[in-house]
Amino acid sequence: MFIHKVATGARLRLVGMLIAGAFASLAAQAADTVTVGLAIPLTVDSGGVYGLGNELGFFKEEGIEVKTVVFQGAGAMLPQVAARKVTIGLPLPEPVLASYETGKTPLPVRYFYNAIPLNEIELAVLADSPIHSIADLKGKKIGVGALTWGTIPATRALLRQQGLTAGKDVDIVGVGVLGSGFLALKEKRVDALNFNSSWHAMLELSGTPLRRLPYPDTFRDMNSNGFVAHQDTLREQPQLLARFGRAYTKALIACEANPKLCVESFWRLQPESRPKTGDAAKQLDEAVFLVKRRMNRTLRNADGSLREFGKFNLPVIRDFVEAMYKSGEFNTANIPVDQIFDNSLVPEFAKFDVAQVQARAKAAQ
């Protein structure tokens, strides 16, 4: 059970002011534990943010301690957020949107930070595969990490747009994450993988060339994972979420500025993830490549300018909902996107000096 500790009350505020002012009052508070529920395991490009955020003190400066818990997909993780057993989750949008379908009970969660602004989910096949389009998947098998994954509804919708029905024309099967899924594709037990772009890049770096199947614009432009919290947490403790989002954003900027340190911090955070054999220098270079790739997609617009940190593109999400409805995946298009995706904390995420964070990261060893 998650327990949130924060010092409040007039007496503490008075003591804080008497001793050293408002800043000392904040520092005097016990660190708030923020438990982040993940639908898939951390990898070097996603986990370094937490590692470097800890090592450079970004989370500590915001008065929070972050713990991560991995669940078997969004279907297993979201009920934990809804029950407030974890503070924050990082799911794809589809399961939350689907809970607002007619006849269902909406999940009591709200997105407050757009962590992956573009669709990271891909359909990838071996480079020499005869499959060149989604329509070519007829009679084939698509591998996903687990059948609880939140990616599956959009994949079914993509198939329906091409006249294919999952379970009839195409099989979606669980193959496990990372290495077990990679092996399933290489051994041709599945014909395509429905993993994120970073995982596919990892498979390519290991020596297996891939080809991505083209997505329609509506699906390609839709954001992937975002941070959610219970609606009561957003209402009652917005500054807790703002502090987390700001620290997380600083860590993203730091990872972009010093990707090598970002990699090394993740390997220190999860020592079992560091490769045990092979060319260490080559492995470090490959890991740095993955971090650079992810940070660029997360932080930068197409022209290289910084995105507005954590902001959701509501018109794009509305187009996605309409496409899911027309594909038969949602039973209504009347889903309150503005209520589900909240941009109210976005100004808080940017309340720091980007250049200062970049300099701090570059100077760190």
Side-chain angles (χ1 to χ4, degrees), residues 11-94:
R11 179 177 297 178
L12 178 57
R13 287 194 295 271
L14 178 60
V15 170
M17 288 187 290
L18 290 173
I19 293 175
F23 181 78
S25 177
L26 178 62
Q29 296 177 8
D32 296 321
T33 300
V34 173
T35 305
V36 180
L38 305 171
I40 58 175
L42 292 171
T43 53
V44 69
D45 60 324
S46 62
V49 178
Y50 298 97
L52 200 54
N54 280 323
E55 291 187 1
L56 295 185
F58 299 136
F59 294 115
K60 183 178 180 180
E61 288 166 2
E62 294 291 347
I64 55 179
E65 177 186 4
V66 175
K67 298 180 179 179
T68 58
V69 181
V70 180
F71 295 91
Q72 289 296 311
M77 177 262 289
L78 277 167
Q80 303 300 311
V81 182
R84 302 186 80 172
K85 292 184 178 179
V86 298
T87 324
I88 293 170
L90 187 60
L92 289 159
E94 292 94 319

